[in-house]
Each structure stands twice: as structure tokens, then as C-alpha cells.
Amino acid sequence: MHWSLIIYAGIITFVTRFSMIFFLKKDILGDKAKKVLSFVPAAIFPAIIFPPIFLDDTGTVDLESNPKILAAIFAIVVGYFSKNIIATIFAGLISYWFLIFFYF
Amino acid sequence: MKTRLKILSRGIIDVSPLMIPVFPFGIIYGVIGMELGLGSYMTLGASIIMFAGASQIVLLQLFSGGASPLVMLSSVGAVNSRHLLYGAVLSEHLSTLRLTWKIILSYVMVDQAFAVSNTYFKNNRNNKNKHYHLLGAGFTCWTIWQISTIIGIVMGSIIPDELGLSFTISLTFLALLINDFRKFKNIIVMLVSGIIATIGYNIIPFKAYIIVAALAALIVAALLTVTDSEKK
């Protein structure tokens, strides 16, 4: 990693935050555009979440000897019922440790 | 002067409960930055320069996967595109401010600060000092983010690799989606994104799988919104 990369990433981050505040006087995004933009986390985060869970070190899909899938499912169940971010992370992490130490 | 200070502290108080999940997130970021060999200066430097948790972690993950700079930066842009929405929503409240104010407030306009200040702005439309609320909320987030990053950096040099902490990247993002689990359309969008990214990980060149999957999922989201409004 090079510092210049972090600086560019910082500039991009700033521009996405600043541009609309700078150029718009009023809120001009239509309801439809807003609705689609509200899906951005749901559209992007799974692309970050899925590959490290389902793929092994060689990059092939591993569905059998994979404690991460079970731990992720457990985290989803806890998240669904508790609606608590910290509980979700720890449920996944602790069940993952439990699985790798005792079963896998 | 007194009212400004009052509004500033209101912002700090309003955003405080939302800092509880930010704190472990910052620690995780710091730990992973150290685990991937970024070093303490760069790990903290990214927190100060970017001040965007999700983007910082995406940058780290793509870096460790050997992605090209162009892909890393466009992925950061994609993750940040939600800020366009925040800016557009807040613009009517901030349009009369001086440029310096707009720059400062843009820098601290993170998810949590947006959420609480947007509510405050709506309820205090005519207060001409209302932007102090976003200043207070934003810099509270900033302070917590930097402190938790530093704690993560310190812990990262102690925690053994066997604990598989890179798995916490997936878990953290998963936890940020818990409010989407109950909405059917969001589940479809999430599955499209996740499945395309997993299959595309090896097929899509330049490790551009995040952008490709995200764009495909957004198109699906757009189609779902269109069909939704036609029904009405």
C-alpha cells in the first residue's frame, strides 16, 4: 500500500460527501433515485461478505468443510432476532472459534 | 453563542448511542490493518484522511487480494456512493452556509452523523445555527473512530493470527445489514450481489468483482423499485 493510494481514496470519499452539498441548493433527487440509492449498502456489502466466507484459500467454493458458513448463519439468526450489531459480530466470531477449535 | 454551544452539545448527545457499535468496528479495522502489514502510521493515516470505515476496510481487503489501484479506488467510490444521497438530502439545510463550513461538514458527514442531524434539521428548519448539530455529531464520530483505530493498532500487534480475525470483516459488514434481513426486496438484492461476487471472484478480471456485483445488484434494486411503483 502506498500513501498516494490512501490520499486518492480520501479525495474520492470527500468528493462523494461534498459534491451534492456544494452543487445543490435544494434537494433535487427524485424519490425513485433516493429509493435506489438506499439499496447501496444491500447491493455492495454482500459482495464484500460472501467471497471470503464461501471461497477457500485457492479460490474454489467450499461448502463442506467450512466453519465460516455455519458461523455466518448463526450470526444472521442472532442479528435477525436481536437487531443488535455487536451481538451479531460476537455471535459469529465466538461460534466460529468454537467450530474451528472443536470440529474442524 | 450560548445557543450554538447548546446545539453543538445536542448533536454530541444525539449521536452518542450510535457510537457503541462504531467502537468495536474501529478496533477491528485497526487490528486488520496491522494484520495485513499496513503499519501503524498508514492504518491511522487512512482513518484520518478517509474517515470512512466501510471504504477503509474494502481498501484493505482488495489490497490484500492484490487488486489494481484503479479497482481499489473505484470500489471505494462505489461504497461511498451512498454519501451522494446524504448530501442531496442535507443540501437544502446547508446551502446558505459559507464554503469553509460546507467543506468541514462534508468531511464529517458519516452515516451516524447524517442519521441524527437529518432528523434534527427537519425538526428545527428555521434555526439558523442548526448546522452546529452536524458539527457536534460528526466530530464525536471522528473522535471515537480515531481512538478505536489506535486501540485496534495496539491490539493488532498482540493478537495471534490463529484467531482468524479476518473473518470479522465479513461479520462486521453482515452486522451492518441486520435491518435489511426483514425486507424481502433487500434480501433479493443482497443475494444477487453476494452470489455474483462469489462466482465472479475468479472470473471477473482485475478483482473488480465488488463493483460488478454491486452494479448488477443495484440494477436489480432499480427494477424492483420500478415494478413496485407500477403496481400502485
Side-chain angles (χ1 to χ4, degrees):
Chain A
M1 185 82 81
H2 201 270
W3 274 106
S4 61
L5 198 63
I6 292 173
I7 291 167
Y8 288 137
I11 293 170
I12 290 170
T13 306
F14 180 78
V15 167
T16 57
R17 287 175 181 159
F18 180 70
S19 53
M20 290 291 176
I21 293 178
F22 183 70
F23 287 115
L24 302 184
K25 285 250 180 292
K26 280 198 307 204
D27 185 0
I28 53 131
L29 280 188
D31 284 345
K32 225 171 243 174
K34 273 187 195 159
K35 204 145 198 195
V36 175
L37 275 178
S38 73
F39 277 101
V40 165
I44 293 184
F45 291 168
I48 301 162
I49 299 167
F50 275 53
I53 292 180
F54 287 98
L55 304 175
D56 60 16
D57 293 338
T58 62
T60 41
V61 177
D62 178 7
L63 294 176
E64 284 154 16
S65 57
N66 191 338
K68 287 180 180 171
I69 296 177
L70 295 172
I73 291 171
F74 187 64
I76 289 171
V77 172
V78 169
Y80 184 87
F81 287 106
S82 72
K83 289 188 184 170
N84 183 318
I85 292 178
I86 301 175
T88 309
I89 296 174
F90 278 99
L93 199 56
I94 289 166
S95 58
Y96 176 64
W97 285 339
F98 183 81
L99 288 168
I100 54 172
F101 286 127
F102 292 103
Y103 290 101
F104 288 93
Chain B
M1 192 65 218
K2 204 182 162 223
T3 58
R4 288 179 193 169
L5 202 63
K6 232 178 174 174
I7 298 169
L8 185 91
S9 8
R10 184 81 250 157
I12 297 173
I13 294 165
D14 285 347
V15 85
S16 290
L18 301 183
M19 292 301 97
I20 298 167
V22 170
F23 209 83
F25 192 29
I27 294 177
I28 288 166
Y29 163 74
V31 169
I32 290 167
M34 294 305 281
E35 203 165 283
L36 295 179
L38 224 64
S40 47
Y41 290 121
M42 242 182 221
T43 306
L44 181 60
S47 274
I48 294 171
I49 294 170
M50 296 173 66
F51 183 36
S55 311
Q56 287 171 233
I57 290 187
V58 169
L59 193 67
L60 283 184
Q61 197 182 22
L62 287 172
F63 169 72
S64 71
S68 75
L70 194 65
V71 168
M72 283 195 256
L73 292 177
S74 43
S75 302
V76 166
V79 175
N80 279 321
S81 61
R82 69 188 190 287
H83 294 129
L84 297 173
L85 171 69
Y86 300 168
V89 172
L90 293 187
S91 60
E92 63 170 313
H93 302 288
L94 307 175
S95 61
T96 54
L97 293 175
R98 270 186 291 130
L99 181 64
T100 336
W101 265 111
K102 288 183 180 173
I103 291 173
I104 296 169
L105 293 178
S106 300
Y107 173 62
V108 297
M109 195 183 67
V110 294
D111 306 62
Q112 294 80 4
F114 165 78
V116 294
S117 291
N118 186 33
T119 314
Y120 183 85
F121 290 168
K122 276 187 203 155
N123 296 333
N124 299 273
R125 213 164 262 284
N126 298 318
N127 187 328
K128 71 178 198 325
N129 288 321
K130 59 180 182 297
H131 53 284
Y132 278 85
H133 189 276
L134 181 55
L135 187 73
F139 272 98
T140 307
C141 300
W142 189 88
T143 311
I144 296 294
W145 186 242
Q146 307 310 332
I147 293 173
S148 56
T149 299
I150 293 170
I151 296 175
I153 290 170
V154 174
M155 285 171 69
S157 43
I158 308 167
I159 293 176
D161 286 354
E162 291 79 54
L163 289 179
L165 276 183
S166 57
F167 182 48
T168 50
I169 295 180
S170 296
L171 287 174
T172 312
F173 283 109
L174 192 139
L176 293 176
L177 288 175
I178 45 177
N179 290 321
D180 294 65
F181 294 162
R182 285 163 197 271
K183 298 172 195 149
F184 183 65
K185 273 189 234 164
N186 299 44
I187 293 173
I188 295 175
V189 173
M190 289 191 280
L191 286 177
V192 169
S193 162
I195 291 168
I196 292 178
T198 309
I199 298 169
Y201 188 84
N202 291 311
I203 305 168
I204 299 167
F206 311 119
K207 293 265 179 275
Y209 61 96
I210 294 180
I211 311 169
V212 173
L215 286 178
L218 264 186
I219 291 169
V220 171
L223 291 175
L224 288 172
T225 1
V226 170
T227 52
D228 189 43
S229 48
E230 272 168 3
K231 265 180 227 155
K232 276 173 198 166

